[in-house]
Amino acid sequence: MRDLRDWISLLEREGELVRVAAEVDPDLEITEIVDRTVKAGGPALLFENPKGAQHALLINQFGTERRMCLAFGVERLDDVARKVSDILEMQPPSGLMDKVRGLQKLKSVADSRAHSVRRGPVHEIVLQGDEIDLSLLPVQRCWPGDPAPFITLPAVITHDPRSGTRNVGMYRMQVIDRKTTFMHWQIHKDGRADWLATEGRIPVAVALGLDPVTAYSASAPLPKHIDEFMMAGFLRGEPVELVKGVTVDIEVPAHAEIVLEGYIEHDELGTEGPFGDHTGYYTAQEPFPVFHLTAMTMRKGAIYPSIVVGKPPQEDAWLGKATERIFLPAVRATVPEIVDYDLPVAGAFHNCCIVSIKKAFPGHASKVMHSIWGLGMLSLTKCVIVVDEHVNVHDYEQVMFYAGANVDPARDVVLAEGPLDHLDHAPERQFIGGKLGIDATAKWVEEGARPWPQEIEMSPEIRDLVDRRWSEYGIGSVPAARNGGVGQTERSLRQLLRR
Ligand SMILES: Cc1cc2nc3c(=O)[nH]c(=O)nc-3n(C[C@H](O)[C@H](O)[C@H](O)COP(=O)(O)O)c2cc1C
Ligand SMILES: [Mn+2]
């Protein structure tokens, strides 16, 4: 998919999009409609007549697992992860065929770099000076306590002034007036680091309305030196095309619907917020830098993309789940004893991480907890629950079973300290606080346990027998037997979202 329009056509062909012709207000009304639609597992919505604006608004494009898979062109999100692990787990080639395959893989990485092109539809309309007007766009005021409309699905492009490396991040932008917004660069983020490293003004470009993979990439927690557009090119199998900005020395996606160009001063801060955020609470007012627009460029009939965050589950659940799946190979490349992990949507992603491990030595669970607390953005995780490899981390009832049955709180709970999410309101001090680790693995004698009892399992012969004879019993349909027996009512994320 080259752009947002290809994506909208695909969604329409797949019966995944509804056009709303009625006039609907971007001030709160759209939020309530979307909140209900997301929680019902409903379609993407294209509001064709947002009140008071010149442009249509697309929302809930990422709101289900099926749409997320359509976006990446896969059957399951784990298939995207496989593509990543293929590269990460490359071994030295052992024969000619291996070499050829290896070279093909390396070429697919080399071909992922963004391409520069001379012209792009994003410059069909160029507004400068007094023509710049953010009120042309149907920017949503999402929640009643929000003081202003917020741009919620931007890809914010900056460059590191020292290395020149590009960064693309998704950071909300509170509208101040026709030509200015805040830039919500949280303390751990790459865009903020670029800003702080720049003396005077940092040029900034904001792309709105992209193909879904490129839009997703702006939310991906990549190490700072890795260009998110390169990752997008790799995952799309086709490079992102970029064109020079009109008033800034930054390349912008040639097929974006809208681009906002401008700059941010090193020393100009204002009071941003409050904002009804993905924590489920309003985040407090805080000083954040001010973004001044120097140009607003668009395609003809540009479509404005938006997203609403709030109490989970919301549309961003699936952006988070995509990250969870796509980054598993990278997590395992660093901590290979990890089998799988799950960041519950209800835990707003950074509040809880359930991780299963191949336990090989006493204290192994504790080692893995500290690994999580040392890994990229996972370091912000507040609570880590470690289970043995046979436990399904996505089955929260099963996890609760082991967290209850296998834990002696006097022995198996680790309390530590470390950095916390910028938006976490619970700790005594902002940015730093406690960490909780729960070791729910089976304990070894060396770990101070008595000999561990055997888990109850039915024998496979009896299971097969009952499977074969089931209809004879006349009981009706009953779920098939499953290992472990607990968690019969496994609540997958899909069910949670469709309750
Ligand atoms: C819908 C949505 C909104 C987000 N809003 C913000 C935000 O306002 N500020 C922020 O620092 N991160 C926000 N994030 C998270 C960042 O996009 C994410 O941490 C990303 O990795 C940042 O890019 P970076 O690692 O290059 O800094 C948001 C994520 C999503 C999915
Ligand atoms: Mn980054």
Side-chain angles (χ1 to χ4, degrees):
M1 275 176 284
R2 197 170 61 174
D3 57 18
L4 188 73
R5 296 176 190 205
D6 287 348
W7 173 226
I8 288 175
S9 306
L10 177 65
L11 289 174
E12 255 182 328
R13 281 200 304 279
E14 294 286 334
E16 290 281 351
L17 180 120
V18 169
R19 290 174 182 266
V20 180
E23 189 187 66
V24 179
D25 202 333
D27 191 274
L28 306 183
E29 190 181 359
I30 289 182
T31 298
E32 181 61 20
I33 297 168
V34 170
D35 195 34
R36 295 183 195 191
T37 307
V38 169
K39 290 186 163 97
L45 301 173
L46 185 61
F47 290 95
E48 295 178 321
N49 275 306
K51 191 174 167 192
Q54 307 284 317
H55 296 269
L57 177 148
L58 176 71
I59 195 159
N60 204 21
Q61 57 177 309
F62 298 115
T64 63
E65 183 174 21
R66 173 153 199 270
R67 285 204 289 285
M68 210 65 209
C69 289
L70 281 173
F72 283 98
V74 293
E75 293 284 313
R76 302 171 57 235
L77 286 175
D78 280 311
D79 298 340
V80 188
R82 205 153 301 128
K83 202 170 162 185
V84 178
S85 63
D86 241 28
I87 298 292
L88 288 175
E89 285 164 17
M90 262 178 79
Q91 301 292 333
S94 57
L96 184 62
M97 279 315 287
D98 244 24
K99 277 188 187 142
V100 172
R101 243 176 266 131
L103 284 175
Q104 281 167 345
K105 283 184 195 171
L106 284 181
K107 187 165 180 310
S108 76
V109 178
D111 287 349
S112 306
R113 278 185 53 184
H115 273 190
S116 302
V117 296
R118 297 184 68 87
R119 253 183 284 281
V122 67
H123 290 149
E124 282 169 2
I125 297 170
V126 176
L127 304 178
Q128 292 187 66
D130 285 341
E131 296 167 336
I132 299 171
D133 186 1
L134 287 170
S135 74
L136 296 172
L137 306 178
V139 185
Q140 281 184 273
R141 193 166 71 97
C142 296
W143 298 103
D146 296 358
F150 284 79
I151 296 170
T152 50
L153 203 63
V156 179
I157 309 165
T158 52
H159 287 268
D160 187 310
R162 297 151 299 192
S163 62
T165 326
R166 174 168 38 236
N167 190 70
V168 190
M170 191 173 285
Y171 319 105
R172 74 179 188 226
M173 297 158 63
Q174 177 181 336
V175 174
I176 300 171
D177 60 31
R178 289 160 57 114
K179 293 167 70 163
T180 42
T181 75
F182 287 113
M183 183 60 73
H184 193 252
W185 275 329
Q186 291 166 21
I187 194 163
H188 306 106
K189 305 304 169 74
D190 298 341
R192 184 189 190 88
D194 287 347
W195 164 56
L196 291 176
T198 307
E199 281 174 44
R201 292 180 173 186
I202 180 169
V204 177
V206 178
L208 296 162
L210 300 165
D211 71 89
V213 175
T214 309
Y216 157 77
S217 76
S219 78
L222 289 174
K224 185 167 188 311
H225 61 280
I226 299 182
D227 173 10
E228 283 81 0
F229 282 161
M230 192 191 81
M231 183 204 205
F234 174 70
L235 295 177
R236 276 156 39 111
E238 167 180 24
V240 180
E241 290 193 346
L242 301 175
V243 66
K244 257 194 169 354
V246 177
T247 59
V248 289
D249 188 16
I250 295 181
E251 287 187 310
V252 302
H255 297 275
E257 294 292 315
I258 302 160
V259 164
L260 312 176
E261 299 181 358
Y263 62 88
I264 290 178
E265 299 281 3
H266 188 273
D267 294 322
E268 186 187 9
L269 296 169
T271 304
E272 200 258 8
F275 176 68
D277 217 315
H278 77 118
T279 57
Y281 289 81
Y282 288 101
T283 49
Q285 289 191 327
E286 267 189 85
F288 275 98
V290 177
F291 173 55
H292 295 271
L293 274 73
T294 51
M296 187 168 166
T297 80
M298 292 187 260
R299 297 176 67 153
K300 289 184 186 136
I303 297 163
Y304 172 82
S306 190
I307 190 169
V308 169
V309 297
K311 275 193 196 138
Q314 298 285 355
E315 184 183 346
D316 61 330
W318 286 107
L319 291 169
K321 277 291 151 187
T323 290
E324 178 199 292
R325 291 297 94 198
I326 292 169
F327 280 75
L328 177 59
V331 168
R332 291 181 53 168
T334 326
V335 193
E337 59 266 50
I338 290 181
V339 175
D340 199 356
Y341 72 146
D342 184 282
L343 307 171
V345 170
F349 290 100
H350 55 264
N351 285 338
C352 183
C353 173
I354 302 161
V355 53
S356 57
I357 64 166
K358 284 195 179 76
K359 181 163 164 175
F361 49 79
H364 204 157
S366 153
K367 182 231 174 193
V368 169
M369 290 169 196
H370 288 94
S371 303
I372 298 275
W373 291 327
L375 264 184
M377 285 296 113
L378 277 175
S379 63
L380 305 180
T381 306
K382 238 185 331 194
C383 172
V384 178
I385 302 170
V386 185
V387 292
D388 285 310
E389 61 179 313
H390 69 278
V391 179
N392 176 2
V393 292
H394 310 297
D395 180 342
Y396 302 150
E397 272 188 51
Q398 226 186 93
V399 172
M400 182 62 95
F401 168 75
Y402 289 100
N406 279 354
V407 173
D408 170 5
R411 182 194 56 211
D412 302 330
V413 167
V414 175
L415 277 179
E417 232 192 45
L420 294 177
D421 189 86
H422 190 126
L423 303 178
D424 192 329
H425 57 265
E428 210 167 308
R429 282 174 295 163
Q430 197 181 13
F431 306 128
I432 186 161
K435 303 278 188 182
L436 171 66
I438 299 175
D439 177 358
T441 61
K443 299 305 168 325
W444 294 7
V445 172
E446 296 90 327
E447 295 176 311
R450 289 172 292 145
W452 210 251
Q454 201 189 339
E455 274 186 58
I456 302 172
E457 291 278 4
M458 182 46 74
S459 59
E461 304 82 56
I462 296 295
R463 281 204 178 139
D464 291 347
L465 172 91
V466 170
D467 280 347
R468 273 199 315 276
R469 296 201 54 202
W470 190 260
S471 57
E472 278 181 58
Y473 307 143
I475 300 172
S477 79
V478 163
R482 31 177 306 161
N483 272 341
V486 287
Q488 291 291 357
T489 53
E490 173 174 340
R491 285 214 279 159
S492 68
L493 179 68
R494 193 198 320 259
Q495 286 162 316
L496 186 75
L497 282 163
R498 295 207 168 144
R499 74 195 158 181

